[in-house]
Amino acid sequence: MPGPRTLSRLLVLHSWAGIVTGLLLFIVCFSGAVVVFKHEIDLWANPSLARLPRSERPAALATVLAQLQTHYPGATVESIALPDAVNPNYFAWVRGPGANARTKLALRSDTGAVVGPVDSQLGQYLRMLHVFLFFGPRWIVGFLGVSMLVLIGTGVVIHRKILAELFTLRWDRSPRVLLSDLHKCTGVWGLGFHILIAATGAWMGLAPLFEQGYEYLTTGATTAAAATQHGTAPAAMQSLDALHAAAQQAMPGLQTQHVSLRRWGSSSAEAGFSGKLGGHLASTARVDLDAVTGRLNKLHDPRTRGFWSLLNSLMEPLHFGDYGGLTLKWLYFILGLTPALMSISGTLIWLMHRGSPAVR
């Protein structure tokens, strides 16, 4: 059991870690709680899209691509999002002539016809706020995940009588004491969820830094040399639907959510199909095919790539709660608000402590 001096130091660490990161933690945690409804928010913000018919047999990908190329000749189609349980439409991102900068377009799922640019991307803006703080690198949010783990760890040690504090609310004491009790109860009741969110957020924010550093040290020169070897001569593309079928054959169980097109129309064109795996929590499955020959270029199946790849594939669904339907989303939303509230209550407790003598 830690001695009084150790507990005092942990309390100082807990207090200052909360004060330094409190505002950013509130922003990240609050936006994260809301962003579990990203797709629902996007539909709510675009009521005309929500009224479009849902097709049990969506239009062929080749039809969608042809519609885009007809309406935006000369533009580069970068990716296509397929309809899902929430969103009844196709979405596509195009760049270049006829489309100002990078534009998100909606298309009908039944015919593939272009509806037009999406008016509001409120859900995506909230996700950008949560993941990148709009313009920051993702490692900042990863660092906040580490900070949250430090706060959790020090808080558990400081409040050793954790079970006794499950129902400790001293309503007859001073506001500071009551606020402190609420702070501790919220932390105890949400402890497991807070650890899950902090650990997965830290992993997703910081793991890419280590991966990129390792790749740079081990394969940087080779990758740089390979990047200059892409052919740019025009070439005939295979049907996007034929490539999709080949991707699903290469990875049984793939439930495609996004299609990415790289260097489309050239001899080095690639089509990437990414999404979830049927009956599996992993969300980073991907198949890359040569769009000219249909040859398999790369396959990322978390089920067969070892423990660390499988673990990495679980981080996003566990963090955002998009694997269990609407009920789980509401649970993530309610629990996700608690660390945001704790950042406020912790700051208020600190300010009360600095501004007046402790009330016991």
Side-chain angles (χ1 to χ4, degrees):
M1 182 179 295
R5 179 175 296 182
T6 301
L7 287 175
S8 177
R9 291 173 177 173
L10 288 175
L11 180 59
V12 171
L13 175 60
H14 184 85
S15 300
W16 281 105
I19 292 302
V20 171
T21 62
L23 177 59
L24 290 180
L25 276 175
F26 173 80
I27 294 171
V28 169
C29 292
F30 183 81
S31 61
V34 177
V35 86
V36 298
F37 295 111
K38 172 186 178 299
H39 299 301
E40 289 85 353
I41 290 172
D42 275 335
L43 282 182
W44 170 79
N46 297 277
S48 61
L49 298 183
R51 291 193 293 267
L52 291 176
R54 179 184 294 274
S55 176
E56 294 184 2
R57 299 185 63 183
L61 284 169
T63 301
V64 172
L65 181 59
Q67 291 279 355
L68 291 168
Q69 292 172 333
T70 299
H71 282 77
Y72 296 91
T76 299
V77 180
E78 295 184 340
S79 61
I80 300 170
L82 280 65
D84 56 31
V86 177
N87 164 48
N89 314 298
Y90 278 106
F91 288 118
W93 286 262
V94 301
R95 186 188 300 273
N100 297 326
R102 190 173 189 264
T103 303
K104 181 180 181 181
L105 303 169
L107 303 95
R108 292 176 60 112
S109 63
D110 52 353
T111 64
V114 175
V115 177
V118 175
D119 295 327
S120 172
Q121 298 187 54
L122 178 59
Q124 181 60 26
Y125 290 145
L126 288 171
R127 185 180 174 91
M128 290 291 291
L129 175 61
H130 176 69
V131 176
F132 300 105
L133 292 171
F134 277 135
F135 304 109
R138 193 168 188 175
W139 65 260
I140 295 178
V141 178
F143 170 77
L144 291 175
V146 174
S147 175
M148 190 171 171
L149 287 173
V150 170
L151 289 167
I152 293 170
T154 54
V156 168
V157 175
I158 293 167
H159 305 294
R160 292 158 294 171
K161 298 178 181 179
I162 197 166
L163 292 178
E165 291 170 347
L166 282 172
F167 304 100
T168 302
L169 288 174
R170 290 167 286 183
W171 298 98
D172 57 337
R173 301 294 295 273
S174 69
R176 181 189 158 206
V177 171
L178 178 58
L179 193 61
S180 178
D181 288 343
L182 288 169
H183 184 81
K184 288 183 287 187
C185 284
T186 304
V188 173
W189 280 102
L191 181 60
F193 181 80
H194 297 163
I195 293 173
L196 173 66
I197 293 301
T200 53
W203 179 285
M204 290 189 294
L206 298 178
L209 285 180
F210 296 102
E211 292 176 1
Q212 293 167 11
Y214 178 77
E215 290 179 2
Y216 179 80
L217 293 174
T218 57
T219 62
T222 303
T223 303
T228 63
Q229 296 176 1
H230 291 308
T232 57
M237 302 291 98
Q238 290 206 14
S239 164
L240 201 53
D241 295 289
L243 293 170
H244 188 203
Q248 292 181 314
Q249 184 176 3
M251 186 182 295
L254 175 65
Q255 298 175 347
T256 306
Q257 296 174 304
H258 292 89
V259 180
S260 60
L261 307 178
R262 296 184 292 278
R263 302 177 298 279
W264 193 257
S266 72
S267 57
S268 63
E270 278 190 332
F273 301 87
S274 58
K276 299 181 179 180
L277 294 169
H280 200 285
L281 193 59
S283 65
T284 57
R286 183 181 179 90
V287 180
D288 291 334
L289 299 171
D290 186 307
V292 177
T293 65
R295 183 184 69 249
L296 177 66
N297 284 349
K298 187 176 181 181
L299 185 146
H300 181 90
D301 188 341
R303 299 168 297 188
T304 61
R305 292 176 63 93
F307 172 77
W308 291 111
S309 179
L310 180 60
L311 181 65
N312 188 58
S313 71
L314 300 177
M315 292 296 107
E316 185 159 332
L318 287 174
H319 189 77
F320 289 103
D322 58 357
Y323 58 89
L326 192 59
T327 301
L328 185 65
K329 287 185 177 182
W330 276 109
L331 181 61
Y332 263 67
F333 170 73
I334 294 170
L335 292 175
L337 290 176
T338 57
L341 296 175
M342 289 184 70
S343 68
I344 295 176
S345 60
T347 301
L348 291 176
I349 292 168
W350 184 84
L351 291 173
M352 289 179 180
H353 176 71
R354 301 280 290 186
S356 63
V359 178
R360 300 185 184 278

